[in-house]
Amino acid sequence: MNLPRVLVETSAGRIVIELETVKAPASAANFLRYVDQKKLDGTEFYRAVKAADHFGFVQFGANGEFKRLLPPIAHEPTTQTGLHHTDGEISLARLAPGTGRSEFTISVGDQTPSLDAGKGQPADNLGYAAFGHVVEGMPIIVGIMDAPVSPTATQHGAFKGEVPVAPVKVLTVRRLKP
């Protein structure tokens, strides 16, 4: 079966993500709704967390812009999908279960211990909803993570020390034809 792919055109180059519509149907469908409604166009990679060389994550999405938000979806933990937060995996960030919407995280290195269900964050041990992986453009993701961050800037009062000095812009996000 051919899984759908999306092209994320950024100011730093192209990234292609393959979506796990069979293993994580709700999370992948949620992402495709944002893609099809062009709600990710013009956003940016607003968060970069580098814990070590080739180890951390980057985040992009609506970043609280009300006009871009769609209704939240049910949470698909990795214990249900069998997916893991390995290098290049994209997942849906959330607060409480059922609050995942429009914030997407791409892992750099194996984030299984901290982002998979039953392993770490958030405190409820349900983890985040992995739903696809980068198949082209990981050097761009690593470059976003490696770029300088502001020691003082925040996003809506959060992520101090994790906000890129020069955020990479998301120009367009479109489905690729099979």
Side-chain angles (χ1 to χ4, degrees):
M1 173 184 194
N2 288 337
L3 295 172
R5 291 183 173 194
V6 296
L7 170 62
V8 181
E9 283 285 359
T10 75
S11 56
R14 57 185 271 142
I15 301 161
V16 177
I17 301 169
E18 185 172 81
L19 304 178
E20 291 283 356
T21 52
V22 175
K23 294 180 180 179
S27 301
N30 176 65
F31 186 73
L32 287 171
R33 278 192 295 276
Y34 279 91
V35 170
D36 293 342
Q37 293 181 36
K38 300 179 181 170
K39 291 191 175 281
L40 298 173
D41 293 5
T43 61
E44 62 188 19
F45 282 87
Y46 59 83
R47 186 178 184 199
V49 176
K50 181 177 182 174
D53 188 42
H54 201 87
F55 188 78
F57 63 86
V58 298
Q59 194 166 20
F60 73 104
N63 196 13
E65 285 186 54
F66 184 75
K67 67 180 180 179
R68 294 183 186 273
L69 296 178
L70 297 173
I73 65 163
H75 180 62
E76 290 178 306
T78 55
T79 49
Q80 175 184 318
T81 64
L83 300 172
H84 300 285
H85 289 89
T86 55
D87 192 43
E89 192 73 14
I90 186 170
S91 65
L92 178 60
R94 66 175 181 87
L95 298 173
T99 62
R101 281 186 163 174
S102 64
E103 308 313 316
F104 304 102
T105 300
I106 300 176
S107 295
V108 178
D110 186 358
Q111 301 297 321
T112 300
S114 57
L115 298 179
D116 274 11
K119 307 271 185 168
Q121 297 298 321
D124 59 25
N125 284 328
L126 293 176
Y128 295 103
F131 66 91
H133 57 277
V134 174
V135 295
E136 179 185 325
M138 267 313 281
I140 293 166
I141 298 298
V142 172
I144 294 168
M145 185 188 74
D146 286 344
V149 293
S150 167
T152 57
T154 64
Q155 290 288 327
H156 310 289
F159 312 138
K160 185 175 181 179
E162 301 173 352
V163 177
V165 171
V168 169
K169 303 287 184 201
V170 175
L171 306 175
T172 60
V173 185
R174 299 288 183 271
R175 289 185 194 231
L176 288 174
K177 293 188 193 290

